[in-house]
Amino acid sequence: SQQGEEDPQALSIQEGENATMNCSYKTSINNLQWYRQNSGRGLVHLILIRSNEREKHSGRLRVTLDTSKKSSSLLITASRAADTASYFCATDGSGGSNYKLTFGKGTLLTVNP
Amino acid sequence: DVKVTQSSRYLVKRTGEKVFLECVQDMDHENMFWYRQDPGLGLRLIYFSYDVKMKEKGDIPEGYSVSREKKERFSLILESASTNQTSMYLCASSLSGQGYNEQFFGPGTRLTVL
């Protein structure tokens, strides 16, 4: 079953603008991850935020996590055309198989030059 | 760098054929996964394996089987391919242990069943 749900489904912005994508999930988690997928390719891990963290940065990426609302956001600052891709959030379960991830359906980001 | 390779990028098969999709990882990861990805449905887990010869069903195992005879290799088998198995198939691997569940993906195999 799908746990993470990204919002919006699609986002189109101009180069240099910031892009924000949101993810909501249903059950308790140990951590939440964001992945990127370029068209027709495999997924690439971007960033992991643990359930006891509220914010994490990596380069132009900023991820926030609100466990009380069961939601996360991914902010890409100063976007570039090369950021055009689909972005997925993935959650694990706080009990049982913590190595198994459940992926959302993704947000398609288009950055126009 | 972790590398996950898949045997084919594109594959075309006929209905009823037996299809093997191979995945190899070179980082000594314990866990390996097979997903299929379809438009509007996202990634759905077919099977995963947490050790050699061990496997567990994912969310959509029907019509598929898997084999893991060696740690580095995880095969997905379509016993009798059907047109509704036309999809992008993604293999991934990860380490075991709390907090070590970042998954590394292969490039994908786009399978078309005619």
Side-chain angles (χ1 to χ4, degrees):
Chain A
S1 60
Q2 297 287 346
Q3 159 138 271
E5 290 289 337
E6 292 89 347
D7 169 57
Q9 289 187 338
L11 181 61
S12 181
I13 60 173
Q14 295 299 123
E15 209 164 23
E17 293 179 344
N18 295 341
T20 300
M21 288 158 271
N22 302 298
C23 169
S24 60
Y25 58 92
K26 296 189 176 77
T27 63
S28 298
I29 60 171
N30 288 313
N31 63 61
L32 184 144
Q33 303 177 38
W34 285 91
Y35 288 77
R36 183 185 75 206
Q37 183 181 33
N38 290 87
S39 181
R41 297 284 178 172
L43 278 70
V44 174
H45 181 263
L46 293 176
I47 195 166
L48 180 153
I49 186 165
R50 300 192 193 285
S51 59
N52 61 355
E53 296 175 310
R54 291 296 166 258
E55 187 171 312
K56 202 160 183 180
H57 296 253
S58 177
R60 293 184 296 112
L61 305 180
R62 173 178 167 246
V63 170
T64 61
L65 179 64
D66 186 337
T67 52
S68 66
K69 294 182 180 177
K70 292 188 168 58
S71 68
S72 173
S73 68
L74 170 67
L75 168 68
I76 303 174
T77 60
S79 64
R80 305 166 182 168
D83 294 328
T84 293
S86 291
Y87 292 83
F88 295 86
C89 67
T91 53
D92 68 349
S94 61
S97 304
N98 68 309
Y99 46 78
K100 188 176 148 188
L101 297 178
T102 303
F103 289 82
K105 296 179 183 178
T107 292
L108 175 60
L109 173 66
T110 302
V111 181
N112 301 299
Chain B
D1 280 353
V2 176
K3 197 162 185 184
V4 180
T5 57
Q6 295 183 228
S7 49
S8 307
R9 286 300 314 278
Y10 300 94
L11 207 52
V12 179
K13 295 291 182 181
R14 298 209 173 273
T15 301
E17 279 193 81
K18 190 168 186 175
V19 182
F20 292 87
L21 302 182
E22 301 282 334
C23 176
V24 178
Q25 50 94 4
D26 66 359
M27 284 303 289
D28 205 35
H29 284 174
E30 291 84 4
N31 305 317
M32 296 189 75
F33 308 83
W34 275 107
Y35 297 90
R36 64 176 283 176
Q37 184 178 25
D38 301 287
L41 297 177
L43 272 78
R44 293 180 291 168
L45 181 64
I46 304 171
Y47 266 98
F48 65 101
S49 169
Y50 51 89
D51 202 350
V52 175
K53 296 192 188 294
M54 304 304 287
K55 61 186 179 187
E56 281 194 30
K57 293 179 179 178
D59 299 318
I60 51 162
E62 296 78 21
Y64 303 94
S65 62
V66 290
S67 172
R68 192 159 179 208
E69 296 297 317
K70 293 185 177 180
K71 191 175 186 180
E72 67 271 19
R73 188 179 298 268
F74 191 36
S75 303
L76 180 69
I77 303 151
L78 287 66
E79 294 289 341
S80 177
S82 62
T83 55
N84 62 14
Q85 292 179 310
T86 291
S87 186
M88 170 73 112
Y89 289 87
L90 293 164
C91 174
S93 71
S94 72
L95 284 169
S96 271
Q98 190 80 19
Y100 289 99
N101 56 7
E102 171 190 348
Q103 291 188 11
F104 296 84
F105 281 81
T109 295
R110 189 166 293 280
L111 172 67
T112 301
V113 182
L114 302 175

